[in-house]
Structures are given as structure tokens and as C-alpha cells.
Amino acid sequence: MPELPEVETVVRTLEHQIQGREIEDVAVRTPMILECDPDQFRKTLIGQHFRTFERRGKYLLLYMDSVLFLSHLRMEGKYYLQAPEEPLDRHMHVIFQLDDGRQLRYRDTRKFGRMNLLPMDTDLLTFHGLGPEPFWDSFNADYIREYCKGRKEPVKSLLLDQHFVAGIGNIYADEICFACGIRPGRSCARMTKKDRENLVTETRRILTRAIAAGGTTIRSYTSSLGVTGRFQLECMVHEQKVCKVCGNEIRMKWIGGRSSYYCPHCQH
């Protein structure tokens, strides 16, 4: 699943490619992708221009002239910019005809992705119960201490909880735990003040590096707009065999139904 760095890459690439472009037509080939009425979706977007591009958690926020176009890629959603004469396959579910002759095509082999139209003034601070962004000042050691009161779930599960912090997924949660020297299965109740401070620092450091590298293509996800993730070259533990620090074997265990990679020597 695309995580924060991958979604940020898509948002910034779309901004570079289609900012200011007008939508001349919309073809909805798979209505289940939409969380609103397909006919209303099409009628509302025709004549609208792509103005501002933002991200909240793993959501793409595309501000048009008078409506907010929301997109969640889920497992394998991808956007393509193609010429109309290029063939469509059965996994192309929504097609936006742009005023420069190109088409913005949404492709999703599993059909898990979702789109919706929302008012321009939608409150995104508490949108869908999302926690703070990792780069917000409100995501700090004190916040983590308060959030963890009365909780005992593994640190890995905490990082994956979108109510705790928005945008982190399986790959980056493993990397953050390693950078902090914390085993992914350790109870969040056992984190020290230093652990909480490190969690904030390392989360921001790793996500910043991943954004700069265009995310990761370890999974089937890639940006289909000419950007290929390279952060997989920097992964220390996720899907690795040997620890790059101590040389010991990387182990994997299942935590909350997710594969979790760690070094038993470097993490405690």
C-alpha cells in the first residue's frame, strides 16, 4: 500500500504535470470506485480546473475551482497520464479528459481505491479521525505519552494506527522501530521519555529521506507518472536478510497481522 512518502510523491508529481488543467469530460467505468453518485461526480468535475494539491495522511487532496476532489489509492491505485489513443485495459476505472488533449487515468487492479467530492471548507484537521501529521508540531513526545496512557499495544501497531499518527504504513514502521532501537513487538507502555523523543525524530528523518527518494517500490506499488521510488535501497530491516549494522540475521514475526522485520541484536 502506498504510504505517506509515496502519496506525497504522487501529489507533487500531479501538481507538476496537471496544475491549471481543465477537466473536459469524465468517464466512470467502475462506479464502485466512487463514494458519491457517478453522474453527479461527472457533472460537477466537468469545467473544473486543478488548482491546489495537498496530502492528508494517505489521502490525495486535489482542490478544484469549487470542490475538493479526494482520492485514496489503497493497495494498488495508480494515476497515469496518457494520450487518448493509447489502449485502455480493464483495470482503468476512471478517465479524466484534460483540455491539453491528455487523459488522466486511474488504474486499480483490486478496485480498492476510492474517490469522493467534498466541500472546499472540509475540516481536514480531524478528517476521518486521522491523527496529527508526523511533521506537525503537535506530534511530539508529550503527545505520545498522553496517547499511550492505559495502552499496551506493540509499538509497531501504534505506528500503524492512523488515529495516532497519519500516513505511516508497514514498511516505514519497521524502519522507524529499527532506527529507534525498539523491537516492533515491545509494548508502547514500556517506552521511555528518550524512546518517545527518538520516535518523533526518527519518524521525521526517515519520512523526509523517503520523500526525497520518491518512496519505495518494494511492493507492487510504483508511481506511474515518471517517478520511481528508491528508498528500498536504504531499507535497514524491512524485507532484508542481514542487518546492515551488526551483520546478524534479520528476523520476521507477525504483529497485528502484519509482517514485521527486526534485528534481535540492535533492537530491544
Side-chain angles (χ1 to χ4, degrees):
M1 176 183 289
E3 301 182 31
L4 185 155
E6 288 75 42
V7 177
E8 185 71 24
T9 297
V10 173
V11 167
R12 295 308 152 209
T13 305
L14 283 171
E15 181 179 40
H16 177 72
Q17 294 277 357
I18 64 171
Q19 187 173 39
R21 296 269 65 86
E22 179 183 346
I23 296 176
E24 293 186 337
D25 201 0
V26 181
V28 179
R29 306 174 79 204
T30 309
M32 68 176 291
I33 298 293
L34 305 183
E35 294 183 335
C36 55
D37 178 74
D39 289 336
Q40 190 61 42
F41 181 81
R42 176 178 179 271
K43 291 177 182 177
T44 300
L45 285 180
I46 290 176
Q48 296 274 326
H49 298 78
F50 291 97
R51 298 300 186 187
T52 307
F53 299 74
E54 296 182 8
R55 176 198 55 75
R56 178 73 169 100
K58 301 176 184 179
Y59 290 89
L60 284 77
L61 309 173
L62 310 180
Y63 286 89
M64 314 300 287
D65 294 319
S66 61
V67 69
L68 170 57
F69 173 26
L70 184 80
S71 175
H72 197 305
L73 304 174
R74 296 288 175 87
M75 291 295 291
E76 295 189 10
K78 302 177 181 70
Y79 281 101
Y80 291 77
L81 275 168
Q82 296 178 320
E85 58 268 21
E86 293 187 60
L88 289 169
D89 65 38
R90 63 190 181 93
H91 299 301
M92 297 283 190
H93 302 301
V94 184
I95 315 297
F96 304 89
Q97 180 63 53
L98 305 181
D99 62 346
D100 62 358
R102 296 179 298 169
Q103 290 181 343
L104 179 65
R105 299 174 173 181
Y106 178 74
R107 187 179 192 276
D108 191 339
T109 56
R110 298 192 183 187
K111 303 179 184 178
F112 287 165
R114 291 295 180 264
M115 297 178 185
N116 201 358
L117 298 179
L118 300 174
M120 293 282 279
D121 60 354
T122 297
D123 179 13
L124 298 174
L125 187 64
T126 58
F127 179 71
H128 281 201
L130 290 175
E133 293 287 320
F135 300 104
W136 287 1
D137 290 342
S138 55
F139 181 66
N140 54 47
D142 290 338
Y143 165 78
I144 296 174
R145 184 191 70 245
E146 290 299 315
Y147 192 92
C148 291
K149 281 184 177 179
R151 297 174 180 266
K152 296 182 179 179
E153 63 255 48
V155 174
K156 172 72 177 285
S157 299
L158 185 72
L159 288 168
L160 294 178
D161 181 357
Q162 300 301 297
H163 300 291
F164 168 65
V165 61
I168 298 174
N170 204 41
I171 295 172
Y172 297 104
D174 280 350
E175 295 300 307
I176 291 165
C177 284
F178 177 79
C180 294
I182 297 174
R183 290 198 184 187
R186 189 205 293 184
S187 169
C188 64
R190 292 180 52 218
M191 283 196 295
T192 65
K193 179 181 179 182
K194 186 62 176 178
D195 289 331
R196 293 189 290 269
E197 291 172 348
N198 287 341
L199 198 69
V200 173
T201 300
E202 294 301 328
T203 294
R204 292 173 176 168
R205 181 185 66 83
I206 287 170
L207 293 178
T208 297
R209 291 182 66 177
I211 290 170
T216 176
T217 54
I218 268 181
R219 298 299 182 193
S220 59
Y221 178 81
T222 56
S223 168
S224 302
L225 296 163
V227 178
T228 301
R230 300 181 304 281
F231 187 74
Q232 73 272 18
L233 302 176
E234 301 183 28
C235 283
M236 301 297 288
V237 287
H238 189 84
E239 293 196 350
Q240 303 300 301
K241 301 296 184 184
V242 177
C243 179
K244 297 178 182 179
V245 174
C246 70
N248 282 305
E249 180 183 358
I250 295 295
R251 295 182 184 176
M252 189 278 281
K253 67 183 299 185
W254 294 96
I255 298 175
R258 307 299 296 275
S259 59
S260 302
Y261 295 82
Y262 69 99
C263 173
H265 180 264
C266 295
Q267 294 168 259
H268 307 282

